[in-house]
Amino acid sequence: MVIVTTIRREVLTLPAAELGPDNPLPPLRLLHEVHRIEDRDRDELPRDMARQAGYEPLRSLLPVRVRDGYGRSREPRDIDALVIENDRLRATVLPGLGGRVASLLHKPTGRELLYRNPVFQPANFALNGAWFSGGVEWNIGATGHTTLSCSPLHAARVPAPDGGEMLRLWEWERLRDLPFQIDLWLPQGSDFLHVAVRIRNPHERPVPTYWWSNIAVPEERRVLVPADEAYHFGYERRLERVPTPSYEEIRQLPCAADYFYDLPDERRRWIAALDEDGHGLVQTSTDLLRGRKLFVWGKGPGGRRWQEWLTAPGTGGYCEIQAGLARTQLEHVRLDAESEVSWLEAYGPLSCAGAVDEVEARLEAVLPRADVDAAYAAWLPHADTEPGEILATGSGWGALEVLRADWKLPGTPFDESTLGEAQEPWLQLLRAGSLPEPRRVRPPGETLVAPHWRDMLETAPATPLTEYHLGVAQWHAGDLAQAVRSWERALELAPSLWPLLRCLALADRESGNPERAADRYAEAFDDLCHERRDNGASWTAATAALGREAIEALLAVGRTAQARAVWERLHPATRQRGRFRLIEAGLLLAEERREEALDVFRAGFEAADLREGAEAVGRLWSRLTDEPLPGHYDFRMRPTEA
């Protein structure tokens, strides 16, 4: 048998915004997350769903950093891609951007089966900020879009179950400390991209896990799924059981909404999105991938504005069909100690103008349920196959964890050669028992917060840098009093005060002491301005991040003159960014310069990092004027009365 499937490198050139530097301040608080329900509402859910909805929610984003350095200025940029192709399908994968499947082209008909975004425009939708729309996204970690949305994954060629080639993607998911892999291949002559996923828990304790495959398709699609009922989630943070909505009902929704379909246990797992002629995409899987979901933006002005914001004008909107481990995205699933979970998904074209039963019959004809199970069984012996040619490189965090614990993870090598500057101090802590003192003055590096790293920090020599990182790890563990003590001890000898003062200021805000928080923020910003050595990316990012927090804290206690002083010391380029124009409007209002604040809106700005569900722009506008909110500032995702 001649195998015709190929994997090759390719470069996509797209209008793209720069990602920019990460925020160097440790994220001691979660970003605003809309996908939550009130505790009291869990009582109305099925017992297993309520239990999983309350199981180990994130306490913080640590050890991951916030990615908020991007803008909205797009110019042609090259993006590395890997193309998997047989005589029927061509899949384009972006290993440097979370392994996103950017395109799935059905060659005989020339139809693009996904919503293919013609631009790369980050927006603040991921758990840690930067995210972009389009294609198939692999969401692992916790409720929300993965922190790996705009991060590189390892990639390599691996023998496929049919003797051809398979593309393996793998990384270390840092929120839950779990390695995972994604294997993609196209069997000869197949109209279906096969995707096998494995998540491993090498720890001696159970760990919460989460997975949703997020598939963007053109908006004008009829979504079909074998379920009579669904759980509706609107951005009022209520989850309610409803009949599965019709296509016409979906089209008339005024605001963004999620529908988590309640598939009966015995039904095949699938979801399809078909156009008016019955052509489109179907996704199916082995039974373990239980959940199916539809997300729509709604026809209201906020939803339409978000659609424009995430892509290029005039390119059409999209909706998302999704598949996950649980019934809803509000749940986390227990992964037992030293165990793993895996499944197989298939993506391909489907043509059928009928209703659910007819679509399912058509799916059974082109890809029988038994064939999906058989493909999964055939893949399992290949899950541990060691990769061949390396096609892309991810982070060094997995290599550090493997070195620490001497774990054996066949199939997903985390080689020491991937260790880099970010891992260097932690490698020294591991090997020598102490953190190295920095060779030059700069913002502190990332903090590792898992219990084993916290234990090492507690037994290391108590240098100011060690105490700083120990405090961050203690904060993450919920030991807030100890964290404060560690930071206060470090202040006595630290050559660099502002990172510690910022942590203490945030602790003051959390404990209900806003005046002292404002004092410490002002002192921290003064210290940073005296210490910063240049206008390079890291110092500029630190100044912007700390200045933003300081202005917010000072305005919260009515200290407008000090807030203005912070504003004046920001870099001129920072003050011109859209987010800081919004901050300036708020500062002008606090100074009772209402007309000048309105002039900021009239001049126009684009706050690149507006958060999904955030309403800051509209709230500030309503404080300035009774006029209707201009359409280009309207990002509301729920009814106005809510």
Side-chain angles (χ1 to χ4, degrees), residues 222-226 267 270 272 274 278 350-363:
R222 185 171 56 107
V223 174
L224 300 104
V225 64
R267 292 299 294 263
W270 63 271
L274 308 178
L350 193 78
S351 294
C352 181
V356 168
D357 288 345
E358 294 168 87
V359 171
E360 185 163 312
R362 178 62 184 158
L363 172 60

Side-chain angles (χ1 to χ4, degrees), residues 370-501:
D371 286 4
V372 175
D373 292 336
Y376 172 65
W379 166 80
L380 275 174
H382 296 263
D384 286 349
T385 301
E386 291 302 321
E389 179 191 359
I390 300 297
L391 299 172
T393 303
S395 78
W397 295 114
L400 183 67
E401 292 299 334
V402 168
L403 272 176
R404 180 195 63 80
D406 194 29
W407 279 320
K408 309 301 179 189
L409 300 170
T412 54
F414 293 96
D415 193 84
E416 284 191 50
S417 64
T418 62
L419 292 167
E421 184 180 0
Q423 293 82 40
E424 184 179 338
W426 300 97
L427 187 61
Q428 181 165 326
L429 176 64
L430 177 64
R431 289 176 169 167
S434 62
L435 280 177
E437 287 301 309
R439 290 188 290 270
R440 65 181 188 275
V441 176
R442 59 181 176 178
E446 298 180 58
T447 303
L448 297 184
V449 296
H452 41 266
W453 293 107
R454 190 171 72 246
D455 290 345
M456 281 185 257
L457 289 168
E458 287 174 345
T459 57
T463 65
L465 183 62
T466 300
E467 294 281 20
Y468 163 79
H469 285 299
L470 176 59
V472 174
Q474 290 166 331
W475 180 275
H476 172 74
D479 196 345
L480 310 190
Q482 280 286 27
V484 168
R485 282 193 283 273
S486 294
W487 293 326
E488 288 176 339
R489 282 196 304 269
L491 273 179
E492 298 172 9
L493 296 173
S496 182
L497 302 180
W498 66 267
L500 297 158
L501 289 167

Side-chain angles (χ1 to χ4, degrees), residues 568-618:
E568 296 295 344
R569 283 178 290 173
L570 295 171
H571 293 97
T574 297
R575 293 199 297 265
Q576 292 305 310
R577 288 166 51 187
R579 164 58 64 177
F580 286 85
R581 296 285 286 155
L582 176 61
I583 291 170
E584 182 185 23
L587 177 57
L588 288 165
L589 176 61
E591 294 171 330
E592 300 183 358
R593 299 158 66 182
R594 185 179 304 270
E595 198 62 30
E596 291 174 74
L598 278 169
D599 284 342
V600 173
F601 277 87
R602 292 168 184 145
F605 60 85
E606 290 187 321
D609 63 336
L610 285 177
R611 187 71 174 161
E612 177 187 15
E615 299 170 350
V617 177

